[in-house]
Structure formats: structure tokens, C-alpha cells
Amino acid sequence: MSTVDHLNDERAPEGPAENRRVPRAGHFLYLVPGFLLYAAFCLWPIAQTAYFSFFRWDGITDMRWIGLRNYLELFTDPLTLTIFGHGLVMIVFYAILPVLIGLLIVAIMTRVRIRLLAIFRTVLFLPQILATVVVAVAWRWIYAYDGPINAVLELLGMGFLTRAWLGDFDTALASVGLIGTWINFGLCMVLFIGGAQKIDTQLYEAARLDGAGPVQEFLAVTLPGLRGEISIALILTVTNALRNFDIVWNTTAGGPGTETLVPSYLIYEGAFITRNVGFAAAASVVLTALILVLTASITIGLRRRY
Amino acid sequence: MASVDIRNVRKSFGKTDVLKGISIDVDDGQFVVLVGPSGCGKSTLLRMIAGLETISGGDIKVGDDLMNAVPPKERDIAMVFQNYALYPHMTVAQNMGFSLKLKKIPKAEIRKKVEQAAEILGLTPLLERRPAQLSGGQRQRVAMGRAIVRDPKVFLFDEPLSNLDAKLRVQMRTEIKSLHQRLRTTMLYVTHDQIEALTMADVIVLMNEGRIEQAGPPLELYDLPANMFVAGFIGSPAMNFVHGRIENGAFVSTKGVTLPLGVAPEGLEGKDVVYGVRPEHLHVVTEPGVGAEAEVQIIEPAGSETQVHLTLGGDEIVGVFRERLDLAPGSTVRLTTDSAAVHLFDPESGRRHIL
């Protein structure tokens, strides 16, 4: 077959069309109002926070320049390191578990038609739209010593497992984390279902004819097809995990002891309770940097390479 | 390679019968084209052969094996889809080798087979590209490569050329046909394009509303259509139909125009019939007193031939003339027909009368 000669006839699709014009200086004037707002309410506070982090300041009296001492304290104090460690543990519960559960649901959904999908979707997404205070109060009750979890355990004859879940040193962090899992997996699922519906069904059929089983089909079609959605889900949930404050504050307030203290709580405490604004600012800078590094890694790691 | 035996196959979606008992024998190595208007059930039938749709009734055999309950991956059938269905994150080579990889065939062997198929299809320089970097025609070739690599018993094509532009479609048509001549694998090909069917098929199966209207070699369907549907579907421009009746051994249209018949039809005297003649079997005559008068409406020269829309009495007909004619819209010409190529159809059933 003389196909080789034809290969050059057809133009393979190229990059974006070259009809973009070079913007003139005057064009940037249109950006000024938006940029001013952005600078005033976003860039300026960030810069100020970074500035405060080099001072010892109680928020009222004069500031005293101390250089990198706040950062030094942050990275040498075992408690703050533990607290940032809690932040990383939260990523497992707030981001990784919800994404895995969301993927599992979508994997099932692509093989089996789920009836009443719209209702499921709404119900499972509900935690996302509830006020976190409401969620926290509800879970405090669920986890309570006389709450439903322990009642069910008693009923199943596993009374030896009952405890005050949020007050127990062994289970408090995981218990708070699982609330995050419950809140976030609905978001992941909705994102993934939307993404999966965009995947060409002929790809699944081609995979089935190629001899793929459910697992191979998932790996060859669903997972690559959801690359963008997984990236978005991880960025949202990882950020959510590291910024997490309200759930912790309203369930355990960081206790028992320091078991469930998270970075945001450290910032809150420094800024409003112990009046160590410089330290709180340094913690904010480190937290922001951590979030930026993680989200950038996710974006780069999951970028489309085709 | 294998024969495909489709026996009284039915398919219903709820209360809608999509296939109403289809039987087709596909011989080993044959190129069979399923053609018909959209919604006739041809794609559904193909998907049932592939195992992508369940069978509501009847049997499908590949070789001697009954396939009704066999899952797609165990049927040893390859399918080329309309929008290619290539895995976007895999290279051309990975796409083509995927099914072999799933079968746990050694890498070296996969590589060899992929390279062979790429050679046949002229894809060798593109093996490391991803589908997004290919043109439509190249993607379609990769889709075929993926099928070839598997060396399946049967190839299925589901409207593979629909997404290509006209020029490329003609080129790929030839490529698929030469691929078939080279591989000699049984192929079933679905299209709604009768030209594709005519040019590629060993056997055309023309379907309509879940039934087979006629099955046979392309020229048999063209020359001896079983009914008006087949006569009208196969051939472009379509066959002209003129309603009328047989009077004194001749055809007289309802508008009173007499048209020639080769053989005086037996047993049709005085009966209503439909006179069918293909556009290329109309001729312009100059001798006075011969032929029927028609008025020229629209003239469409296409170089090798000229298509002319005419009114004959009140009936609109189309003629295709290879000779250069000096015609003007509104002028009158005298037409005659190749009487041997004329068909008469029953206006009630649409069936062709055997003359």
C-alpha cells in the first residue's frame, strides 16, 4: 500500500493558531482596576504578613526586628513540627482518601449502570454545602461517648471498642480527619462523575474488545481520562486539608492535649490568644509556601503530556 | 479467519424492535458491507457480532462457535470505530500493542508485530507520536493497525470513514480494500454511504427498518434491485421512478407520456406499475418523432458527465449524459431509454416485476 507518500499531504494538527496579536501598552490599562483590587486585598496582605514574620510584635506595641528567629523557632520547636505533621496527616484524610473513594465509585459506575444516580450524587455532595459548624456539631454528637457509633458497637457485641472518639489520644486525629473525608469525597465524586461522562464510550468498548478486564479498563481509559479532574480535586482538597481550622476548632479545639492541633490553629493562637503576631505570620508564610509547593507539584505531576 | 453465520437475529430495546430477524452468511475471507439509512439497525447488528450488545433472539456463530453468550474479549474479533477510539495517553505503538500486552505476549514479539502492521499502513515514522499529534486519516490508520496487530478472526468496521473529508475518504476506501486483498480476513463493514458499499464489498447487505431488503454482489443490487427501496438507495443520482400503467404493451405515465419497454410485459396489461430507469440509461435523441418530450430544468456539468434535471410530463427525472450536449434551461429535448435496462415495479409492494 502506498500510504507513506500520503503522510505528508495531511496536515497534522498544530499548536494554537498564530492569530494572537502582541498586546500594546495601552491594552494593559484595562487590567489596572482589577489589578488594584487584587493588589489591595490579596498581594498587600501577603506582603505584610511576610514582613511581620521578621518581627516580634504583640499587635499593639512597637515591633522589634528579630530577623529569622520566628522561623528558627518554628523549625526547631518539636510541638510546631508535630502540628505541621498533623497537617500532613490531614492530607491523607482530606485529600487522598476522598480521591480514592471517588475513583472507586466512578470505576463501579463505568461498569454498572447506577440507578437514581442524580439522587446519590446530591446526597453524597450534601456535606460540601453544609456549614462546617453544623457538620462539626453533628459529628461531635456522632462521636460522643453516648453517641450512635458506640451504640452500634455495643449492639454488635464489640463494646470493648467503645470510647469517646474525639477525646481519646489514639483516635482523636483520625476521627477529626474522617470528618474531612466525609465532607470532601462528595466533591471528588461529583468532579470525577462529570469527567467520566466526557470520556468517549467507544474507548471503553475498544478496551473491552482489546481484552481488558475491569481493572485494566480503569487503568487504560478511566484514570487517564480523569487526569485533569484528579488534579483539580487534589488541589482543592489538599489546600482544604492544610487550611483546615473550623472543623478542628468546633470538634476538639485541638485536644486532647495537642493531639489535633493543626497549622491554622497555631496561626490563630499566635495572632489572637498568645499575641505573638510575628510567629503567627511566620507560620502563615510557611503554611502558604507548603500549599504552593504541594499544589504546584500536583499540577506538574498530573499535567497532560499529550 | 472464520466465517460468520448470522441466523434469524433479533434485537429489541424495550418495546422497539430494532432488528426483526436478520440472517446473513458471511464466507471466510469475504468483505461484506452492511449498508442502509440511519436507524436501519446495521450498527446494532455489528455491535452484536462484537459482543457489545446482547442478542434478543437468534444465533451468531463465528466459525463453528456460537457467540451469543461469549464476552467480547473472548470472541477474537477486532473493531474499528467511527471516531477511532484511540487511547489518548498512549503512543501509536502502545495503542497498537495494547491488546497484545493484555494477552501477556513478550515485548519483543509485540514490537515485531506492531512494526509489521505499521509497515503495511505506512505508520512507521509515527510510532512514537500520540493520537493528538495525528491527522484524522492517520488516526484511522492507527485504529486499523490496532486491529491488524491482533490478527483476529473477523474485522468489524463501524462507519470508519465518516469523520474524514471527501478526498481522504476516497483514499482510505482504496486502502481498506487493498488491506482486505492482502490480509484476506473476513471483514464486516457498516456504512450509510452506498458508494462505499458498491466500491468495497464482495457482498452488500442492504438493510432498512431492521430487515434485509436485498443481499448480493454490488452489481447485482445495482442491475437487478429486488424492490423500489433497493433501486432508489443504490446508485447516485438515484433511479428515476415514473408512475403509470401498461397499455397495449407499452408504458403510459399518469401524465400521459409513453415510454419504451424492451419486452412486452406478460400479465401486466392494464395494471398500474412504476417505471424505473437509471439516469445514465436516458438518452437524448434528435430524430423527429422518436422519444418523449421533456423540459430541461437544471444543468449540472461535472466534466466527465453532465447531470440534467428534467420534467417529463409532470414527473421530475434526472439524466446523466456522457456526451457534450448543447442544452439550455427551459429548452425541450426528446428522450429515449435503454429499454433493456428498464425495470417495472409493483406500486403497492414495491417489488420488481420479472420481465
Side-chain angles (χ1 to χ4, degrees):
Chain A
M1 215 181 280
S2 63
T3 44
V4 188
D5 346 339
H6 305 302
L7 288 176
N8 298 326
D9 302 354
E10 306 160 28
R11 287 257 305 268
E14 281 157 20
E18 289 172 36
N19 55 2
R20 272 192 251 148
R21 277 186 287 163
V22 182
R24 285 194 219 133
H27 294 176
F28 289 107
L29 273 178
Y30 293 104
L31 297 177
V32 169
F35 180 77
L36 284 180
L37 280 174
Y38 179 68
F41 292 102
C42 197
L43 296 181
W44 178 242
I46 290 174
Q48 254 195 329
T49 306
Y51 177 72
F52 290 153
S53 71
F54 299 110
F55 291 87
R56 183 162 301 285
W57 187 37
D58 59 6
I60 301 163
T61 57
D62 287 344
M63 303 199 290
R64 186 160 56 86
W65 172 269
I66 54 166
L68 291 172
R69 288 247 300 277
N70 282 328
Y71 290 96
L72 206 65
E73 193 187 338
L74 200 70
F75 285 110
T76 50
D77 179 12
L79 179 61
T80 47
L81 288 179
T82 312
I83 290 172
F84 271 91
H86 290 166
L88 298 180
V89 172
M90 283 299 167
I91 291 179
V92 174
F93 287 103
Y94 270 66
I96 296 173
L97 273 180
V99 165
L100 290 180
I101 296 171
L103 285 175
L104 182 74
I105 291 173
V106 170
I108 294 168
M109 200 194 79
T110 54
R111 290 296 280 207
V112 188
R113 211 179 130 231
I114 300 176
R115 281 167 197 277
L116 307 174
L117 181 67
I119 294 174
F120 271 110
R121 217 164 35 190
T122 312
V123 169
L124 296 178
F125 189 71
L126 208 59
Q128 273 289 317
I129 54 171
L130 291 178
T132 42
V133 178
V134 176
V135 172
V137 170
W139 277 91
R140 215 161 59 193
W141 174 73
I142 293 169
Y143 277 138
Y145 195 75
D146 52 358
I149 292 185
N150 285 340
V152 169
L153 285 174
E154 289 281 4
L155 213 66
L156 296 175
M158 292 191 284
F160 58 93
L161 284 175
T162 58
R163 65 193 70 197
W165 296 89
L166 291 170
D168 192 303
F169 276 82
D170 294 331
T171 57
L173 191 61
S175 299
V176 173
L178 282 171
I179 302 175
T181 309
W182 182 76
I183 293 175
N184 279 346
F185 95 92
L187 170 76
C188 296
M189 184 200 63
V190 167
L191 275 171
F192 297 163
I193 288 176
Q197 282 168 342
K198 281 189 305 192
I199 299 175
D200 185 355
T201 50
Q202 288 194 350
L203 268 182
Y204 287 104
E205 294 177 344
R208 279 164 71 192
L209 284 166
D210 270 344
V215 175
Q216 291 145 335
E217 190 183 290
F218 176 75
L219 294 176
V221 182
T222 312
L223 205 54
L226 291 179
R227 187 188 281 264
E229 283 77 9
I230 293 171
S231 176
I232 291 170
L234 277 177
I235 287 171
L236 289 175
T237 53
V238 164
T239 315
N240 204 332
L242 288 174
R243 290 188 322 193
N244 171 28
F245 174 75
D246 38 12
I247 293 289
V248 173
W249 179 244
N250 289 303
T251 47
T252 62
T258 57
E259 271 317 297
T260 59
L261 281 180
V262 287
S264 302
Y265 188 83
L266 203 63
I267 296 165
Y268 167 79
E269 193 186 41
F272 300 109
I273 297 175
T274 59
R275 291 258 161 226
N276 192 350
V277 175
F279 181 77
S284 303
V285 170
V286 171
L287 184 62
T288 308
L290 189 63
I291 290 176
L292 282 178
V293 167
L294 285 175
T295 50
S297 317
I298 292 164
T299 313
I300 293 166
L302 289 174
R303 189 189 291 154
R304 266 166 66 111
R305 291 183 194 81
Y306 45 89
Chain B
M1 292 205 277
S3 59
V4 178
D5 190 9
I6 298 163
R7 196 60 46 221
N8 202 22
V9 162
R10 290 167 188 283
K11 177 73 186 175
S12 313
F13 292 109
K15 281 180 183 159
T16 320
D17 292 329
V18 182
L19 294 176
K20 299 160 185 167
I22 298 277
S23 299
I24 306 170
D25 281 321
V26 181
D27 293 341
D28 190 5
Q30 225 171 20
F31 196 125
V32 172
V33 174
L34 306 174
V35 67
S38 50
C40 71
K42 56 193 190 297
S43 279
T44 306
L45 180 59
L46 198 75
R47 293 167 55 79
M48 287 161 82
I49 298 169
L52 297 172
E53 298 279 358
T54 55
I55 298 169
S56 307
D59 290 329
I60 293 178
K61 278 185 181 175
V62 174
D64 296 325
D65 306 321
L66 187 64
M67 287 293 160
N68 290 26
V70 177
K73 65 173 178 177
E74 285 160 33
R75 294 193 181 196
D76 199 8
I77 285 174
M79 184 155 166
V80 176
F81 293 88
Q82 182 176 347
N83 34 4
Y84 326 125
L86 301 176
Y87 309 112
H89 61 293
M90 296 187 195
T91 63
V92 168
Q94 286 167 338
N95 261 290
M96 287 167 69
F98 185 61
S99 62
L100 302 180
K101 192 176 147 197
L102 291 179
K103 278 189 201 155
K104 305 223 172 3
I105 287 171
K107 269 188 184 163
E109 199 178 326
I110 295 179
R111 204 178 161 71
K112 209 177 95 195
K113 286 193 171 181
V114 167
E115 279 170 3
Q116 277 172 359
E119 191 63 41
I120 295 175
L121 294 164
L123 289 170
T124 311
L126 306 176
L127 279 177
E128 293 313 311
R129 295 231 198 137
R130 289 182 207 275
Q133 299 166 300
L134 303 176
S135 68
Q138 289 167 344
R139 284 181 214 180
Q140 193 53 272
R141 249 181 246 134
V142 177
M144 289 199 289
R146 185 165 64 178
I148 293 173
V149 161
R150 289 176 50 186
D151 191 18
K153 284 187 190 148
V154 181
F155 274 101
L156 305 178
F157 292 87
D158 190 6
E159 309 225 11
L161 306 184
S162 303
N163 288 358
L164 303 178
D165 63 52
K167 192 179 160 200
L168 203 53
R169 204 149 51 207
V170 174
Q171 180 192 320
M172 291 301 291
R173 211 161 72 193
T174 317
E175 283 186 24
I176 294 175
K177 192 161 181 171
S178 80
L179 187 70
H180 176 248
Q181 284 171 0
R182 180 179 175 141
L183 301 175
R184 283 283 152 215
T185 309
T186 313
M187 292 188 180
L188 274 99
Y189 186 107
V190 160
T191 180
H192 61 267
D193 181 349
Q194 52 94 20
I195 297 277
E196 264 175 41
L198 283 172
T199 50
M200 301 171 85
D202 293 328
V203 170
I204 292 180
V205 177
L206 176 51
M207 294 174 64
N208 183 33
E209 293 180 349
R211 287 200 177 81
I212 294 177
E213 295 282 351
Q214 190 174 359
L219 293 182
E220 187 180 302
L221 268 72
Y222 190 83
D223 293 332
L224 297 169
N227 54 45
M228 281 174 72
F229 180 84
V230 178
F233 193 89
I234 301 285
S236 174
M239 184 184 279
N240 296 301
F241 294 119
V242 181
H243 289 259
R245 66 165 68 215
I246 304 295
E247 284 175 16
N248 304 321
F251 173 83
V252 181
S253 83
T254 46
K255 309 282 168 24
V257 180
T258 304
L259 291 169
L261 288 172
V263 194
E266 282 173 42
L268 291 177
E269 185 61 37
K271 286 197 173 150
D272 287 343
V273 294
V274 177
Y275 185 98
V277 62
R278 294 207 178 270
E280 68 268 26
H281 296 136
L282 288 174
H283 300 288
V284 173
V285 284
T286 44
E287 304 98 82
V290 181
E293 249 182 33
E295 191 184 315
V296 176
Q297 299 292 338
I298 296 168
I299 305 160
E300 297 171 330
S304 64
E305 57 188 36
T306 303
Q307 222 180 91
V308 183
H309 296 253
L310 309 124
T311 45
L312 182 79
D315 295 307
E316 292 190 6
I317 58 167
V318 176
V320 168
F321 306 104
R322 298 198 63 92
E323 63 272 29
R324 298 289 156 110
L325 295 167
D326 188 21
L327 298 174
S331 63
T332 304
V333 291
R334 302 193 73 79
L335 290 178
T336 180
T337 59
D338 276 347
S339 47
V342 165
H343 304 292
L344 294 179
F345 299 96
D346 184 302
E348 298 282 311
S349 66
R351 289 234 182 84
R352 185 170 58 91
H353 292 296
I354 311 291
L355 295 177

